[in-house]
Amino acid sequence: MTLLISISAAVISTLVWYCNARARNLKIGTLVLMYWGASLMWLVDACAEYIEIGSAYFTPAAADMLNDAFLGFTVVVLGMVIWIASLLIRDPAGTLHNVLSKNH
Amino acid sequence: MACFIVPTTEAIVTTIGKKMMQKHEEKHPVSTDKISFSEKLGWLNKLLWGGSALLAMEHLWHGEISPFPPFLTAAADAQELTVVLHEMATSGVGMAVLVTAVWGVMCVVSDKIHLKQLVNQEQSDSTTEEVPV
């Protein structure tokens, strides 16, 4: 479930990056690479688990699925938080700099 | 259990490599018909750091790591530590290899696209020069 959610987030963010120039200016590429990196790593994890437990991998218990889904969404939000923090630190449009210099 | 440590270690190495490469490229500028290697290393850094950070969150979620020493909850038990090391050697190395392989493909494809764009641009430039005024 976590793998599915992270791949979905990676695909959606890639589409936004591809279609929207404003999003590219906001360095959404960082978020795209983060999600793809995590998705690839979870893919390896999933393969290792499949080798270990076989087809039982595809029939998880409902409670496990719910927990994994909750984790997946938490991870997606964490990715966004890291991206927004890096955006504010880099401040590519100079917005933060302008706001702070106006106040002083 | 601690598989993300392997890609994190690779991320540290590639981050240092990127800094060194940037310094080298500042001294010896590369031609514009290629995407600089430091920029490509930046992509790998983001893939590795981002993936490792999100995986660390998963391990924290499952109680496999803790924010306090010894950080790995399995480190207290020697038998569990063997399992951790085995997982690092299998899943961890697999993660690092897969991410690096995908990055390698990204580099080759992006170079080809960049080269194609340059050729198209040169062709359009030459045809506009040939047009009689």
Side-chain angles (χ1 to χ4, degrees):
Chain A
M1 201 67 179
T2 315
L3 174 65
L4 279 178
I5 292 170
S6 70
I7 290 178
S8 306
V11 169
I12 292 167
S13 57
T14 306
L15 279 174
V16 173
W17 172 84
Y18 186 82
C19 299
N20 197 323
R22 276 184 74 184
R24 285 196 292 277
N25 289 339
L26 293 176
K27 305 278 177 197
I28 202 170
T30 305
L31 188 67
V32 172
L33 290 172
M34 269 169 56
Y35 285 153
W36 277 119
S39 300
L40 289 171
M41 290 180 193
W42 268 313
L43 184 69
V44 173
D45 230 11
C47 290
E49 209 177 323
Y50 179 74
I51 291 166
E52 207 176 296
I53 63 170
S55 59
Y57 174 76
F58 299 107
T59 50
D64 289 343
M65 270 180 75
L66 190 68
N67 187 262
D68 276 357
F70 192 21
L71 170 65
F73 288 117
T74 307
V75 157
V76 168
V77 171
L78 177 69
M80 286 182 195
V81 169
I82 295 171
W83 166 62
I84 211 82
S86 85
L87 181 73
L88 291 176
I89 291 166
R90 284 192 207 160
D91 196 18
T95 312
L96 197 65
H97 178 79
N98 290 343
V99 169
L100 290 174
S101 57
K102 260 184 196 174
N103 288 343
H104 291 283
Chain B
M1 280 180 159
C3 44
F4 72 98
I5 291 175
V6 180
T8 307
T9 310
E10 190 189 344
I12 293 167
V13 173
T14 56
T15 304
I16 296 166
K18 190 195 167 192
K19 296 274 177 204
M20 286 168 69
M21 195 53 77
Q22 270 177 331
K23 278 184 187 172
H24 181 263
E25 283 168 0
E26 275 169 20
K27 282 180 190 168
H28 311 278
V30 285
S31 60
T32 50
D33 54 325
K34 260 189 166 183
I35 300 168
S36 68
F37 192 65
S38 63
E39 197 181 333
K40 288 175 186 165
L41 269 180
W43 303 340
L44 181 61
N45 279 344
K46 284 169 190 164
L47 281 167
L48 289 168
W49 279 119
S52 302
L54 300 187
L55 246 77
M57 177 67 206
E58 187 218 343
H59 286 74
L60 193 69
W61 184 279
H62 290 137
E64 291 165 357
I65 56 170
S66 72
F68 313 106
F71 304 110
L72 284 173
T73 45
D77 186 9
Q79 224 173 8
E80 272 195 63
L81 200 62
T82 318
V83 179
V84 169
L85 290 173
H86 179 259
E87 204 182 88
M88 279 169 70
T90 51
S91 294
V93 171
M95 285 170 182
V97 168
L98 181 66
V99 171
T100 311
V102 168
W103 169 75
V105 173
M106 273 172 66
C107 289
V108 171
V109 171
S110 62
D111 268 345
K112 284 196 174 174
I113 292 170
H114 192 70
L115 201 69
K116 203 175 167 184
Q117 275 178 336
L118 282 175
V119 169
N120 285 347
Q121 203 176 347
E122 272 175 27
Q123 277 176 346
S124 66
D125 283 351
S126 62
T127 47
T128 48
E129 276 171 18
E130 283 167 15
V131 173
V133 184

